[in-house]
Amino acid sequence: MKKADNFFKKNSKGLLVLIDPDKFNPETILNTNTSDVAAYLVGGSVLKKGVTETVLKALKTLSSKPVFIFPGDETQLAKPAHGILFPILISGRNADYLIGKHVLMAPQLDVLKLPVIPMAYILLSGGKRSATERVSNTLPLAMAPLTELQHTVRAAYYLGYRLLYLEAGSGAKNSIPAKVIQCVRRIWPHPLIVGGGIRNKSKIKAAFHAGADWVVIGTALEKNPMFVKKLLPLNM
Ligand code: 1GP
C-alpha cells in the first residue's frame, strides 16, 4: 500500500480517469490502458447503494492501474481499492461537506484500512449548475476575480492539505482556464489536480502546461469510450 500512499506525492503527471459507477462501461477501461492514464478515480455525487463495490471489483479484473475511491458521501466506501481520496469541500460553507460526512466515514475507514489521502476540493463556477453544487448545496467560487480563490488555496495550505483538486464540475460548460490554473500554481506548492469540462486534447495540454499535475477526464469518456485512445500520443 506504500505505492498508493505516495502516489500523489511524486513529482509526476498524468491523466486520471473518473468513473461514475452508475455509468460504468468496461469498454472505457480497455481503451484507457495506456501509459498516459495514471489511475482511476471512482465516485459520484449520489450513487445507487453497493454499486461502487461492484464496479471496483470489475475494474480490478480489467486493469492493474491504481484505483482511488473519490467518495461523494459515506455510502461510497468499499474495500477493493488502492486508496481513498478524502475530499473536503473548502469552496463551500456546508458543514456536512466540511466535517459531517467525514465523521460518518471515519469508522468505515478504520475498518477498511486503506490509505486515506486528505484532499482540499475547490469547486469553481463552470458555467452551469454542477451536480456537486446541487448535492452539496454550496456555491462555487468565481473564476474572476481570483482573490477569493487565492485566499482559499492559501487557507488549504495553512490547514496542512498537501493535495488540491480544482473542479469546474462534471460536464462543465467551461473548464478551468489556463490563467486560473497558473494563478493557483504560483501559490500552491503541492500536487494539483484539475478537472471538469475537459473534452479535447488542447484543453488537456493547456491544463498541464499551466501547471496541473493531474488532469481528470470523465464525461468525455462516458460519451466516447475511445476518447483517450484517439488523443494519443499526448506528449504532456
Ligand atoms: C468531475 O472533474 C471531474 O469531478 C470530471 O469532469 O466529467 O466534465 O470530465 P468531466
Side-chain angles (χ1 to χ4, degrees):
M1 284 306 162
K2 200 165 186 303
K3 194 177 167 211
D5 272 334
N6 287 322
F7 186 85
F8 291 100
K9 289 180 193 159
K10 283 188 200 154
N11 189 20
S12 57
K13 43 170 74 178
L15 291 175
L16 301 174
V17 168
L18 177 71
I19 308 282
D20 177 340
D22 280 339
K23 297 175 189 158
F24 179 61
N25 176 358
E27 213 190 317
T28 302
I29 309 307
L30 299 173
N31 288 316
T32 50
N33 197 15
T34 141
S35 57
D36 288 314
V37 172
Y40 297 100
L41 308 185
V42 176
S45 295
V46 184
L47 296 176
K48 288 182 207 127
K49 203 167 180 271
V51 71
T52 302
E53 184 160 13
T54 308
V55 167
L56 289 170
K57 282 181 180 161
L59 248 173
K60 224 175 173 179
T61 66
L62 295 167
S63 171
S64 55
K65 291 185 191 294
V67 178
F68 296 93
I69 302 173
F70 175 31
D73 64 33
E74 70 282 4
T75 67
Q76 296 177 27
L77 300 178
K79 183 75 186 165
H82 295 82
I84 295 167
L85 289 180
F86 202 40
I88 178 166
L89 186 61
I90 57 169
S91 50
R93 297 295 178 266
N94 182 341
D96 282 345
Y97 292 85
L98 290 166
I99 183 63
K101 297 283 177 192
H102 310 78
V103 172
L104 295 174
M105 285 191 251
Q108 295 186 66
L109 298 176
D110 285 342
V111 174
L112 288 170
K113 295 196 191 320
L114 290 170
V116 176
I117 303 161
M119 180 177 76
Y121 187 41
I122 297 182
L123 180 65
L124 291 158
S125 177
K128 72 173 201 187
R129 196 164 187 242
S130 65
T132 305
E133 180 178 346
R134 182 171 41 80
V135 172
S136 69
N137 196 21
T138 64
L139 290 174
L141 297 184
M143 302 241 205
L146 291 171
T147 321
E148 186 72 12
L149 172 62
Q150 288 170 311
H151 293 177
T152 306
V153 168
R154 291 306 289 163
Y157 175 79
Y158 287 118
L159 281 164
Y161 287 92
R162 295 297 176 255
L163 178 63
L164 174 65
Y165 188 151
L166 281 187
E167 169 75 275
S170 188
K173 196 169 137 209
N174 310 317
S175 57
I176 299 174
K179 68 171 190 313
V180 176
I181 301 171
Q182 281 162 355
C183 164
V184 170
R185 182 74 283 174
R186 281 195 287 272
I187 57 172
W188 177 256
H190 301 298
L192 176 64
I193 303 175
V194 173
I198 297 176
R199 290 183 283 269
N200 58 49
K201 189 170 179 167
S202 64
K203 283 191 174 185
I204 294 171
K205 293 192 86 158
F208 281 125
H209 287 150
D213 298 301
W214 310 95
V215 172
V216 184
I217 303 295
T219 308
L221 262 163
E222 282 165 14
K223 293 199 168 144
N224 175 12
M226 297 294 285
F227 176 73
V228 167
K229 230 176 187 176
K230 281 196 171 154
L231 52 84
L232 297 175
L234 210 47
N235 301 323
M236 287 177 269

Coordinates of all heavy atoms in Angstrom, one line a residue, residues 1 17 51 69-70 83-84 89 105 107 121 123 127 131 149 166 177 187 192 211-212 215 221 230 235:
M1 N 0.8 -1.2 0.0 CA 0.0 0.0 0.0 C 0.9 1.3 0.0 O 0.3 2.4 -0.1 CB -0.9 0.0 1.2 CG -2.1 -0.9 1.1 SD -3.0 -0.6 -0.4 CE -4.0 -2.0 -0.6
V17 N -8.7 9.0 -14.9 CA -10.0 8.8 -15.5 C -11.0 8.6 -14.4 O -10.8 7.8 -13.5 CB -9.9 7.5 -16.3 CG1 -11.3 7.0 -16.7 CG2 -9.1 7.7 -17.6
V51 N -23.1 -0.1 -5.6 CA -22.6 0.0 -7.0 C -21.1 0.2 -7.0 O -20.4 -0.3 -7.9 CB -23.4 1.0 -7.9 CG1 -23.2 2.4 -7.5 CG2 -23.2 0.8 -9.3
I69 N -10.9 5.6 -4.6 CA -12.3 6.0 -4.4 C -12.3 7.5 -4.2 O -11.5 8.0 -3.4 CB -13.0 5.2 -3.2 CG1 -12.9 3.7 -3.4 CG2 -14.4 5.7 -3.0 CD1 -13.3 2.9 -2.2
F70 N -13.2 8.2 -4.8 CA -13.4 9.6 -4.7 C -14.9 9.8 -4.2 O -15.7 10.0 -5.0 CB -13.1 10.3 -6.0 CG -13.4 11.7 -6.1 CD1 -13.2 12.6 -5.0 CD2 -13.8 12.3 -7.3 CE1 -13.4 13.9 -5.1 CE2 -14.0 13.7 -7.4 CZ -13.8 14.5 -6.3
G83 N -6.7 3.1 -2.6 CA -6.7 4.2 -1.6 C -8.0 5.0 -1.7 O -8.8 4.8 -2.6
I84 N -8.1 6.0 -0.8 CA -9.3 6.8 -0.8 C -8.9 8.2 -0.8 O -8.2 8.7 0.1 CB -10.2 6.5 0.5 CG1 -10.7 5.0 0.4 CG2 -11.4 7.5 0.6 CD1 -11.3 4.5 1.6
L89 N -14.7 19.9 1.0 CA -15.2 20.9 0.0 C -15.0 22.3 0.6 O -16.0 22.9 1.2 CB -16.7 20.7 -0.3 CG -17.3 21.5 -1.4 CD1 -16.6 21.4 -2.8 CD2 -18.8 21.1 -1.6
M105 N -17.8 8.8 7.8 CA -16.9 7.9 7.1 C -15.8 7.3 8.0 O -15.3 6.2 7.7 CB -16.3 8.6 5.9 CG -17.2 8.8 4.7 SD -16.3 9.3 3.2 CE -16.9 11.0 3.1
P107 N -15.5 5.8 10.9 CA -15.4 4.4 11.4 C -15.3 3.4 10.3 O -14.7 2.3 10.5 CB -16.8 4.2 12.2 CG -17.6 5.4 11.8 CD -16.7 6.5 11.3
Y121 N -10.7 20.3 -1.8 CA -11.5 20.2 -3.0 C -12.2 21.6 -3.2 O -13.0 22.1 -2.3 CB -12.5 19.1 -2.8 CG -13.4 18.7 -4.0 CD1 -12.9 18.6 -5.3 CD2 -14.7 18.4 -3.8 CE1 -13.6 18.2 -6.3 CE2 -15.5 18.0 -4.9 CZ -15.0 17.9 -6.2 OH -15.8 17.5 -7.2
L123 N -14.6 23.9 -5.7 CA -15.5 23.9 -6.8 C -15.5 25.3 -7.4 O -15.8 26.3 -6.6 CB -16.9 23.5 -6.4 CG -18.0 23.5 -7.5 CD1 -17.6 22.4 -8.6 CD2 -19.3 23.2 -6.9
G127 N -19.9 27.4 -15.4 CA -20.9 27.9 -16.4 C -22.2 27.3 -16.4 O -23.1 27.7 -17.1
A131 N -23.5 19.0 -10.5 CA -24.1 18.0 -9.5 C -23.5 18.3 -8.1 O -24.2 18.2 -7.1 CB -23.8 16.6 -10.0
L149 N -10.5 32.8 -4.5 CA -9.8 31.5 -4.8 C -8.4 31.5 -4.2 O -8.0 30.5 -3.6 CB -9.8 31.3 -6.3 CG -9.0 30.1 -6.8 CD1 -9.5 28.8 -6.3 CD2 -8.9 30.0 -8.3
L166 N -8.8 21.2 -8.2 CA -9.6 22.3 -8.7 C -10.7 21.8 -9.7 O -10.3 21.2 -10.7 CB -8.7 23.3 -9.5 CG -7.8 24.3 -8.8 CD1 -7.1 25.2 -9.9 CD2 -8.5 25.1 -7.8
P177 N -9.8 27.8 -16.9 CA -8.8 28.4 -17.9 C -7.4 28.3 -17.4 O -7.1 28.3 -16.2 CB -9.3 29.9 -18.0 CG -10.6 30.0 -17.3 CD -10.7 28.8 -16.4
I187 N 0.8 29.7 -6.2 CA 0.7 29.9 -4.7 C 0.4 28.5 -4.0 O 0.2 28.4 -2.8 CB -0.5 30.8 -4.3 CG1 -1.8 30.4 -5.0 CG2 -0.1 32.3 -4.8 CD1 -3.0 31.2 -4.5
L192 N -1.4 19.1 -7.8 CA -2.6 19.8 -8.2 C -3.3 19.0 -9.2 O -2.8 18.6 -10.3 CB -2.2 21.2 -8.8 CG -3.3 22.1 -9.4 CD1 -4.3 22.5 -8.3 CD2 -2.7 23.3 -10.0
G211 N 0.2 24.1 -15.4 CA 0.8 23.7 -14.0 C 0.0 22.6 -13.4 O 0.4 22.2 -12.2
A212 N -1.0 22.0 -14.0 CA -1.7 20.9 -13.4 C -0.8 19.7 -13.4 O 0.0 19.5 -14.4 CB -3.0 20.5 -14.2
V215 N -4.7 15.6 -14.6 CA -5.9 16.2 -15.3 C -7.0 15.0 -15.3 O -6.7 13.9 -15.7 CB -5.6 16.6 -16.7 CG1 -6.9 17.0 -17.5 CG2 -4.7 17.8 -16.7
L221 N -15.2 10.6 -21.8 CA -15.0 9.1 -22.0 C -16.4 8.4 -21.9 O -16.6 7.4 -22.5 CB -14.1 8.6 -20.9 CG -12.7 8.4 -21.3 CD1 -11.8 8.2 -20.2 CD2 -12.6 7.1 -22.2
K230 N -7.9 8.1 -28.9 CA -7.9 8.9 -30.1 C -7.0 10.1 -29.9 O -6.5 10.7 -30.9 CB -9.3 9.4 -30.4 CG -10.1 8.4 -31.1 CD -11.3 9.0 -31.8 CE -12.0 7.9 -32.7 NZ -13.4 8.2 -32.9
N235 N 2.0 13.7 -25.4 CA 3.2 14.5 -25.3 C 3.0 15.6 -24.3 O 3.1 16.8 -24.6 CB 3.6 15.1 -26.7 CG 3.9 14.0 -27.7 OD1 4.4 13.0 -27.4 ND2 3.4 14.3 -28.9

